[in-house]
Amino acid sequence: FMRFTKTGPNIPDELLQSQKNGKLLFLCGAGVSVPAGLPTFLELTKSVANKLFACDDESNEISLLIKDKQCDRAFSALKRIYGDEIVDQILLEELKVRKNIDLTNHKNLLKLSVNEQKKPFIITTNFDLLFEKADKNITSFIPPYLPDFRSIEPLSGLVYLHGKWVKPVSGESVNLIVSSQDFGKAYLSHGWATKFVSDLVKNRIVVLVGYSGDDTLVRYLLEGLKAENEDTTNRIYALESEKNKGNIESKWSQLGAVGIPYFEHKDLWDTLAEWAKYAGSEDTVWDEYISKLASRSPKDLEAFERGQVTAYISSIEGAMKFQQFDPLPNSEWLYVFDKNIRLGKVEEIK
């Protein structure tokens, strides 16, 4: 494990190495676009319902479904009552993006989620176009035309797994996955989304970002994957804030994924920014950074900085480079690397 910032999440070594090898892929949810001013799925459901005055009665079907956070079923009810066209048009209007937004987080994710040739390969269940705004040259894929993992060419581009935002046009339907019927077809009865993600986890290490373990998508996705693959252990990771949400590791473990907790959302975005710098730099840049840390006493460093040095020497290549640093590392690092000393009890000498 390694932390990139003082208060950021611990990133497992497997993710660091997979990213370097072009085998790591980020699957991005609504939380990724929230800092840019877009709503969560629950907020979007509430907004559409309120525009239709569907929640004036707090005891009606739609109000109760939203209160219970059953957004997919709420959209099913809205479409049954008001029709697909009006619901979709309001939904798309609610997802309009203001100008001059900060796309830093999207750019950092595009730097991290890359293939073997260092070209972006990323998946989103969001409808918004923020990744396309962050990279105007990226190729996009919309269901049912999704990348095929049997391709002999390295896969790249942006996959809109649940559909893509289009300008609302009267009389035209849009293919967005929002209702329980939509989710059911994609992940259960027709199962094309489950098949795609199943192929994905066989070929990539997947990191969910911008989701909660309670999200509708997560329920369909992981239940569908369990049906397709008996064991997805250590193939799916999930970054989630543990603020007021209990034990993240335990919650995601029950879903068949590895939870990586952090506290504030800023901790996550700062970590991704530093990770993107690390991933985009030459090895020599990181070597020089570690050499500077190692020349100092471990006592003078922050805990996460000591962890970075320790992670560096955990590989044979890193250990070989470490002993050849000029100037030589501070001798006190031996106390850090030797667990018998590091974890030993302090005894007074009489």
Side-chain angles (χ1 to χ4, degrees):
F1 291 87
M2 186 172 79
R3 291 183 190 271
F4 284 95
T5 66
K6 183 177 180 179
T7 56
N10 260 321
I11 306 299
D13 294 339
E14 181 183 27
L15 299 192
L16 298 173
Q17 195 58 49
S18 297
Q19 196 285 326
K20 280 187 176 181
N21 297 336
K23 293 294 184 180
L24 185 71
L25 184 142
F26 280 85
L27 202 166
C28 305
V32 169
S33 295
V34 167
L38 291 177
T40 64
F41 193 34
L42 178 59
E43 291 168 344
L44 177 64
T45 310
K46 288 179 179 178
S47 295
V48 173
N50 288 331
K51 287 287 176 68
L52 291 167
F53 303 100
C55 292
D56 287 357
D57 181 355
E58 294 184 0
S59 64
N60 68 18
E61 176 189 10
I62 294 171
S63 296
L64 292 174
L65 287 171
I66 292 175
K67 185 178 180 180
D68 202 30
K69 298 182 180 179
Q70 297 188 50
C71 301
D72 56 327
R73 294 182 62 192
F75 267 112
S76 291
L78 286 168
K79 289 193 170 193
R80 184 181 72 246
I81 297 169
Y82 299 96
D84 288 350
E85 183 179 337
I86 185 64
V87 172
D88 286 341
Q89 283 193 358
I90 295 173
L91 184 157
L92 292 170
E93 288 289 345
E94 292 297 304
L95 291 175
K96 278 188 175 180
V97 179
R98 65 180 186 274
K99 294 182 179 180
N100 302 319
I101 56 174
D102 185 359
L103 296 172
T104 302
N105 298 336
H106 290 76
K107 290 178 180 178
N108 286 330
L109 285 166
L110 287 168
K111 291 176 184 176
L112 289 170
S113 194
V114 294
N115 65 13
E116 303 91 323
Q117 298 178 340
K118 302 303 179 184
K119 294 181 179 180
F121 182 35
I122 196 164
I123 299 176
T124 182
T125 53
N126 299 337
F127 310 128
D128 63 69
L129 309 181
L130 296 184
F131 280 114
E132 289 190 40
K133 289 181 179 292
D135 182 352
K136 298 186 184 303
N137 296 317
I138 197 167
T139 301
S140 64
F141 299 88
I142 309 168
Y145 306 106
L146 300 178
D148 188 345
F149 285 94
R150 294 171 297 180
S151 171
I152 60 174
E153 296 295 327
L155 299 180
S156 64
L158 167 62
V159 178
Y160 287 97
L161 193 60
H162 287 176
K164 176 179 176 179
W165 189 94
V166 293
K167 188 174 181 180
V169 177
S170 179
E172 293 187 11
S173 61
V174 293
N175 295 317
L176 304 179
I177 296 177
V178 292
S179 70
S180 54
Q181 285 89 345
D182 299 330
F183 279 103
K185 289 176 183 177
Y187 288 94
L188 300 173
S189 59
H190 295 180
W192 57 264
T194 302
K195 179 65 169 62
F196 174 75
V197 180
S198 177
D199 289 343
L200 173 64
V201 297
K202 292 174 184 174
N203 291 273
R204 295 288 193 278
I205 301 296
V206 178
V207 179
L208 304 179
V209 60
Y211 299 101
S212 162
D214 306 315
D215 285 351
T216 299
L217 160 78
V218 170
R219 186 175 76 248
Y220 282 105
L221 173 64
L222 296 182
E223 285 181 2
L225 281 178
K226 279 184 179 180
E228 283 276 325
N229 304 291
E230 291 185 3
D231 185 17
T232 58
T233 305
N234 295 338
R235 301 297 299 180
I236 303 176
Y237 291 78
L239 288 154
E240 184 180 358
S241 171
E242 62 184 348
K243 190 175 183 180
N244 303 322
K245 292 184 180 178
N247 191 316
I248 297 301
E249 291 101 325
S250 176
K251 181 168 70 171
W252 283 98
S253 177
Q254 293 172 17
L255 295 169
V258 179
I260 304 175
Y262 60 89
F263 196 65
E264 300 287 353
H265 290 307
K266 185 178 185 301
D267 298 331
L268 169 65
W269 301 126
D270 288 348
T271 288
L272 293 181
E274 291 302 315
W275 189 2
K277 289 180 188 176
Y278 165 78
S281 64
E282 298 292 334
D283 288 344
T284 54
V285 175
W286 189 249
D287 295 342
E288 291 171 5
Y289 169 73
I290 296 297
S291 179
K292 288 180 180 178
L293 291 181
S295 67
R296 299 167 61 188
S297 168
K299 297 193 298 290
D300 297 332
L301 301 178
E302 296 279 2
F304 82 96
E305 293 173 321
R306 290 194 293 272
Q308 289 175 340
V309 176
T310 304
Y312 182 87
I313 62 100
S314 64
S315 68
I316 295 175
E317 181 185 4
M320 293 294 292
K321 288 181 180 179
F322 189 84
Q323 65 179 349
Q324 296 172 0
F325 281 160
D326 185 15
L328 286 172
N330 189 302
S331 59
E332 293 178 17
W333 282 102
L334 291 174
Y335 299 130
V336 177
F337 301 152
D338 188 331
K339 69 177 181 179
N340 295 314
I341 298 175
R342 185 173 71 250
L343 303 178
K345 295 181 180 180
V346 177
E347 298 180 2
E348 291 185 11
I349 300 176
K350 297 182 179 179

